[in-house]
Amino acid sequence: MHTSPLHPDFGLTVHDIDLRDVTADHLFPDIRRAFEEHSALLFPAQQMDDATHIRLAELFGPLENREAMAAGRDVAFEVSAVSNETASGVTDAMDLHTLNLQANMLWHTDSTFLPTPALINILTARVLPPSGGGNTELASTRTGWASMPADLKAKLKDAVIWHRLSHSRARISPELARLPEMNKWPDRPWRALWPNPVTGEESLFIASHSFSIEGLGLTEGQEVIDAAIAHCTRPEAVYSHQWAVGDVLLWDERAILHRGQPWDYSEPRTLKSICCSVTEADGLASVRLV
Ligand code: OGA
Ligand code: MN
């Protein structure tokens, strides 16, 4: 693979792969190794339709299907649109749908509130706002953990962090947080440190959904969570991706915090996203409580 660094601390841009050519035996082994080692990969200017997107995602693991997870039975998989476009036009800036997109602008990890968390998000840009904005930003909780001040590390090393979807939504809008959709997953605890099963490097598994640390009061727990996220996302530690249509940006949810950036909400913006769930091979046992 012909690559260059995405950010000095993490990530690679891959210049010479057409993702339509990737199969389990051809190119994927190199991509998977780079994913484990570098945590984020950018493939500029791809020709991604839903079928290509799904085929790539299936190589990483089971497609995350929240509807099936919630129902406890098979439900047809659909590629998620991260979008303010609907059949009747662009959603209003104060619409709950738009507010939910704005909750993506808090530093987070996807799916930490689900019974099985996500390994990866594979995002691709389809429609971009003509006036710009709407970058997606990434920061490494592997290098963030390695450089974290010792007193903060001591509070997190053996910690169990609790996650709740409505917690992040409440930071944007109480009405959004009250929707049944935001309250259907029971609070979920995970150990704070996730050692990568291939490289052994530890990362902090934390999100805007993190609402408490086992054994600490709610206020103190939130202070520790906020301080840890703030450390990992110091401006110099952030990669900000300015999208072009066709770009594919993917990251390791075990080791990367991400957020969206605002745009003019009267303009359309549509990304397509597929998450894959983690499996035991991805080190799930190291964050699960017995
Ligand atoms: C996501 C997400 C951010 C963005 O798709 O999970 O957080 O920039 N997206 O839209
Ligand atoms: Mn997200």
Side-chain angles (χ1 to χ4, degrees):
M1 293 198 296
H2 171 48
T3 64
S4 55
L6 192 63
H7 180 279
D9 292 347
F10 68 92
L12 291 178
T13 302
V14 182
H15 299 284
D16 58 349
I17 287 184
D18 182 332
L19 289 171
R20 292 174 297 187
D21 299 337
V22 176
T23 65
D25 303 327
H26 179 62
L27 301 172
F28 186 69
D30 292 340
I31 292 174
R32 182 68 199 231
R33 197 167 323 112
F35 168 80
E36 301 289 354
E37 288 176 8
H38 299 277
S39 306
L41 301 173
L42 170 67
F43 299 86
Q46 299 290 316
Q47 305 285 323
M48 288 293 276
D49 55 14
D50 281 356
T52 305
H53 199 170
I54 289 171
R55 218 172 328 103
L56 176 66
E58 281 174 333
L59 296 170
F60 280 93
L63 306 185
E64 180 182 288
N65 184 337
R66 293 187 184 182
E67 280 62 42
M69 235 185 250
R73 59 179 165 76
D74 268 10
V75 177
F77 175 81
E78 275 186 57
V79 181
S80 302
V82 182
S83 174
N84 62 343
E85 297 186 277
T86 65
S88 49
V90 167
T91 57
D92 187 81
M94 290 312 290
D95 188 287
L96 287 176
H97 178 80
T98 318
L99 290 175
N100 193 40
L101 292 173
Q102 290 177 31
N104 280 342
M105 291 164 205
L106 305 168
W107 283 109
H108 68 286
T109 302
D110 298 315
S111 312
T112 62
F113 48 84
L114 293 182
T116 304
L119 170 68
I120 187 173
N121 190 343
I122 306 174
L123 262 188
T124 185
R126 290 288 172 80
V127 177
L128 294 171
S131 305
N135 281 19
T136 300
E137 300 193 326
L138 309 180
S140 170
T141 66
R142 179 186 287 175
T143 57
W145 173 250
S147 63
M148 196 165 283
D151 57 332
L152 199 48
K153 268 192 161 176
K155 292 180 184 151
L156 286 160
K157 197 168 101 45
D158 300 313
V160 170
I161 302 180
W162 284 82
H163 301 259
R164 177 189 290 167
L165 175 58
S166 64
H167 182 68
S168 55
R169 272 50 197 164
R171 291 194 164 187
I172 302 295
S173 147
E175 193 188 351
L176 181 66
R178 279 194 298 270
L179 294 178
E181 174 70 20
M182 307 303 168
N183 292 280
K184 66 182 181 189
W185 309 103
D187 295 350
R188 185 67 50 183
W190 303 111
R191 294 188 193 285
L193 287 186
W194 199 323
N196 181 289
V198 176
T199 70
E201 290 168 286
E202 291 178 318
S203 55
L204 191 60
F205 192 56
I206 199 163
S208 56
H209 321 300
S210 305
F211 72 92
S212 102
I213 295 179
E214 189 103 9
L216 296 186
L218 279 182
T219 306
E220 192 190 348
Q222 191 69 60
E223 280 168 9
V224 172
I225 289 162
D226 292 347
I229 293 178
H231 174 78
C232 292
T233 61
R234 300 173 327 283
E236 68 272 21
V238 171
Y239 169 71
S240 187
H241 186 61
Q242 185 177 347
W243 288 99
V245 169
D247 287 352
V248 173
L249 180 65
L250 61 82
W251 61 85
D252 185 344
E253 300 273 16
R254 301 167 298 181
I256 294 284
L257 280 161
H258 68 282
R259 69 173 178 187
Q261 287 283 275
W263 69 96
D264 177 343
Y265 299 119
S266 69
E267 297 183 351
R269 176 182 185 264
T270 297
L271 308 182
K272 287 289 196 87
S273 158
I274 303 180
C275 290
C276 301
S277 296
V278 291
T279 64
E280 295 301 330
D282 305 316
L284 182 55
S286 46
V287 291
R288 191 171 46 214
L289 300 165
V290 281

